[in-house]
Amino acid sequence: MTGSVRTVYVGLFLSGIASAATAPYLSTVALDMLQITGGTYSAIVFVSGILSVCLSLAIGWASDVVSGRRIIIATLGMMAGAGIAAFAIFGTVSLFVMCCLLFLPMTSILTQQLFGYLRSESLGLDKLEIENRNARGRTLFATAWVAAPGIFLLLPAIDPSRLAFAVSAFACIVAALLFCSVGSTKTSNAPRSHKPSHSGSLRSLLRVSVLLMIPVAGCGILRAAPRLQQILVGPIVTQQLHGAFSDIGYIAAFTALIELPLILVWGRSLRFISRPAMLLIGSLLFSAYFVSLALASSMTAVYVSSVILAFATSGTLSITISYLQNLLPDRPGLGSSLISVANCIGVAVAALTFAPFSETGAFEDCAILAASVVAVGGVAIWVWDKRHLR
């Protein structure tokens, strides 16, 4: 394993901390602490998805046509860290909206670019080794979700919402400094012999949007599942089951802890099961989770349903990364940006699914609808793959 690959793994852990410190709590901070209305929050989520995909595609395109992917990663981390830190310090509604629209999406783009960097460092390896590298990276990312809630135990006297954003900002800045100190590597920063032109990149992007619409949309619907889970579990825990703010993080850590070994198990299963079939299984597991969440009447039931969530997440999210990258195997930056396209679709689907229930507070009904929606994504990918092979 090269030093640059180890650096990417550390970066993925830090980007996981940046996401895990804030993502589970956003709906609770918005709806309960800042008193943002449900309809307004749905609109914020929807617009953030659109801005995120535009920014990610631009960055992914740039990372394929210019050298210096590590500088792009460092810049993303520093900008995201500065913006998130501003909300941690001042805590205003306007800064929260800016975080949702710009700075928090940058943490997701940071993760995507790190996987793109890992992909570029893996060119020439066999597919199984590439899958194993992705699985190891995803495992470290999930490990961060186990570790992040521990900060509430170490610093219980600090406002948990401010603390969560401060930890996220710190992780982003450390990741940025890490990649500022990394030297150039042959694979990721040297000029490539088949470096794509600007016009070729744009033509590729247009072809991707048309030819790969169904699989990307299917992955997008699957990636709506964790968004919906993050939106729903907070209000269900704090409003309906009268849990504490920190309980949301502990549930996320419990889920990620179970998820860790399962990611490697699912990765090994690729020897026997195709990616589309695995994504179909994952979508059905997500559906089962949402049904169990809707029926949960106690915190114990929520923890039990989280076991199903761990199986679904471990068997879906890491596989969608390699599945989307393999749609454009020779373009690691743009291929990784398809993750952001799928994320944008996922955000839009999540916002539209949640919107009808945002003012009524019928979160159980929303979970039932989410179960139906997510199943459609897995079926779409599986059917498209069957017809595409023909």
Side-chain angles (χ1 to χ4, degrees):
M1 184 188 298
T2 65
S4 57
V5 172
R6 285 192 290 268
T7 301
V8 174
Y9 285 154
V10 175
L12 283 169
F13 177 79
L14 291 170
S15 72
I17 292 288
S19 298
T22 54
Y25 316 105
L26 287 179
S27 61
T28 303
V29 171
L31 302 176
D32 293 348
M33 297 184 174
L34 298 178
Q35 299 297 307
I36 297 174
T37 64
T40 302
Y41 182 62
S42 294
I44 291 171
V45 171
F46 186 84
V47 174
S48 73
I50 296 174
L51 294 178
S52 175
V53 73
C54 293
L55 182 61
S56 179
L57 286 174
I59 292 172
W61 170 72
S63 67
D64 277 335
V65 300
V66 299
S67 60
R69 191 189 302 274
R70 67 184 182 86
I71 301 302
I72 293 175
I73 291 173
T75 303
L76 274 172
M78 194 62 69
M79 291 180 64
I84 296 169
F87 175 75
I89 295 170
F90 300 106
T92 64
V93 173
S94 58
L95 284 173
F96 177 80
V97 173
M98 283 298 297
C99 279
C100 290
L101 294 181
L102 182 61
F103 300 118
L104 290 174
M106 281 184 178
T107 65
S108 297
I109 298 171
L110 175 64
T111 303
Q112 293 152 22
Q113 284 302 308
L114 286 167
F115 274 110
Y117 195 108
L118 182 62
R119 181 78 174 198
S120 67
E121 292 288 336
S122 305
L123 293 176
L125 299 178
D126 62 84
K127 291 184 178 180
L128 183 58
E129 177 58 24
I130 293 173
E131 291 288 355
N132 288 335
R133 283 191 172 189
N134 270 341
R136 286 192 288 268
R138 172 67 183 147
T139 301
L140 285 168
F141 185 84
T143 302
W145 283 73
V146 177
I151 194 67
F152 297 119
L153 297 176
L154 296 176
L155 300 170
I158 301 177
D159 178 1
S161 61
R162 298 289 185 90
L163 180 60
F165 280 80
V167 170
S168 178
F170 178 76
C172 288
I173 292 171
V174 172
L177 295 175
L178 180 68
F179 276 84
C180 283
S181 63
V182 172
S184 298
T185 62
K186 292 180 181 180
T187 55
S188 59
N189 292 311
R192 300 172 197 143
S193 58
H194 298 289
K195 185 177 178 179
S197 67
H198 291 261
S199 59
S201 297
L202 292 174
R203 285 196 298 270
S204 295
L205 181 56
L206 291 174
R207 285 198 298 269
V208 165
S209 63
V210 176
L211 298 178
L212 304 180
M213 186 177 298
I214 293 177
V216 173
C219 287
I221 295 173
L222 287 180
R223 295 182 82 84
R227 300 276 183 173
L228 283 165
Q229 187 270 338
Q230 291 163 7
I231 291 173
L232 291 173
V233 74
I236 287 176
V237 167
T238 59
Q239 296 180 21
Q240 299 184 1
L241 301 179
H242 308 293
F245 183 91
S246 57
D247 286 331
I248 303 169
Y250 299 148
I251 291 169
F254 175 75
T255 305
L257 183 63
I258 299 173
E259 183 184 342
L260 289 176
L262 294 176
I263 293 173
L264 298 177
V265 171
W266 282 107
R268 297 289 183 181
S269 299
L270 286 171
R271 297 178 178 180
F272 316 105
I273 308 173
S274 68
R275 289 187 188 87
M278 194 171 292
L279 293 176
L280 175 61
I281 294 170
S283 69
L284 296 178
L285 288 171
F286 268 125
S287 296
Y289 164 74
F290 282 118
V291 171
S292 65
L293 183 65
L295 299 176
S297 57
S298 65
M299 291 297 297
T300 301
V302 174
Y303 276 99
V304 171
S305 67
S306 296
V307 176
I308 304 175
L309 176 64
F311 275 89
T313 304
S314 61
T316 303
L317 296 189
S318 59
I319 305 302
T320 56
I321 292 170
S322 57
Y323 179 79
L324 290 168
Q325 287 178 328
N326 285 339
L327 295 177
L328 290 172
D330 57 339
R331 304 291 299 280
L334 193 57
S336 294
S337 288
L338 289 180
I339 302 170
S340 191
V341 177
N343 282 342
C344 178
I345 295 171
V347 167
V349 170
L352 292 173
T353 303
F354 176 69
F357 308 95
S358 60
E359 301 296 340
T360 63
F363 302 118
E364 299 94 337
D365 295 338
C366 184
I368 295 296
L369 178 60
S372 303
V373 170
V374 173
V376 171
V379 171
I381 293 172
W382 187 76
V383 171
W384 183 86
D385 184 73
K386 289 293 183 181
R387 294 187 176 181
H388 182 68
L389 289 177
R390 294 176 185 175

